[in-house]
Structures are given as structure tokens and as C-alpha cells.
Amino acid sequence: MVEKPLLKNGKVVGWDVAFEPKREFAVDMAGFAVSVKLLMDRPEARFDFDQPPGHQETYFLKSLGLKKRNMEPKAKNCTQVLVWHTKTKEPILILEKILNQIGKQTDKGMEV
């Protein structure tokens, strides 16, 4: 299953994800980087472990003062997969199957 930002004219405008796509930053921790300068400029930035699952990233990025418009799409405008999660067990792709049933293919046009 591939989850990625939706781009318009090279800018992030939304998210192509199965879990709560309306989150301001519907991205996994492994799917973004933050400059050290930004971290140093925002010493109050924090992870909040009281946030519900899937919302840590949004909380953290907001605590840095970021908006979607600040994001810089990488990996050839998000057409390449450069980060992925692996486990030593068979993946459970329930959400992928549900999306496939409504005609969506999450890795369409992607270099995987």
C-alpha cells in the first residue's frame, strides 16, 4: 500500500491516504524530514504522546509552525517510494483491498 501527498503545481494540497485523509499532515514519521535549523529555531516543538494514533506527526509539524504550503515534495514530485515500513510477517492490507474495490490503486504511476 502506498500513501502519498496530493500535489498541484508541485505543492502539497492534500493526501492520498486511507487513514483520516483530512488530517493537516497525513504523513508517517518516516515520510518527512525537518531541518536542524528549524528545530533549533523552535525549541518549543514537541511530540505529544497523548495524541491519538496517527496524529503525532500533525501535532509535531504544527508545533514547528508549519503548514502544508511549507512542505517541499521530494522524490521526483512524490512519484518514487524512498521510505517504507517492513515487518517479518505477512502484511495486512485491508485498507488497500477496500480502496481496490472502489477502483483506486495506491501505487499507480509510482516507481516502487
Side-chain angles (χ1 to χ4, degrees):
M1 178 167 193
V2 176
E3 296 187 316
K4 58 195 174 290
L6 295 172
L7 305 181
K8 184 174 184 177
N9 300 320
K11 298 288 184 186
V12 176
V13 295
W15 306 97
D16 187 7
V17 299
F19 176 72
E20 294 188 34
K22 300 290 184 207
R23 292 175 288 157
E24 187 166 356
F25 297 104
V27 61
D28 188 84
M29 293 287 184
F32 66 88
V34 176
S35 75
V36 172
K37 181 178 180 345
L38 180 59
L39 288 172
M40 298 305 288
D41 289 347
R42 296 285 186 142
E44 70 282 359
R46 296 277 183 270
F47 287 105
D48 181 353
F49 296 103
D50 292 328
Q51 294 295 311
H55 293 265
Q56 282 265 341
E57 298 83 353
T58 293
Y59 183 88
F60 175 64
L61 293 170
K62 282 180 156 184
S63 78
L64 289 167
L66 298 175
K67 305 279 185 204
K68 277 188 284 204
R69 69 177 176 268
N70 301 120
M71 300 191 87
E72 299 175 30
K74 300 296 184 185
K76 293 187 180 177
N77 263 339
C78 303
T79 61
Q80 297 175 317
V81 175
L82 301 180
V83 176
W84 57 90
H85 291 279
T86 61
K87 292 186 179 183
T88 56
K89 64 179 188 177
E90 187 70 25
I92 301 169
L93 297 173
I94 295 168
L95 293 174
E96 176 78 5
K97 290 176 184 174
I98 291 169
L99 291 171
N100 289 165
Q101 289 172 350
I102 60 171
K104 290 191 80 177
Q105 180 183 347
T106 64
D107 63 353
K108 186 175 183 178
M110 300 289 296
E111 181 179 325
V112 181

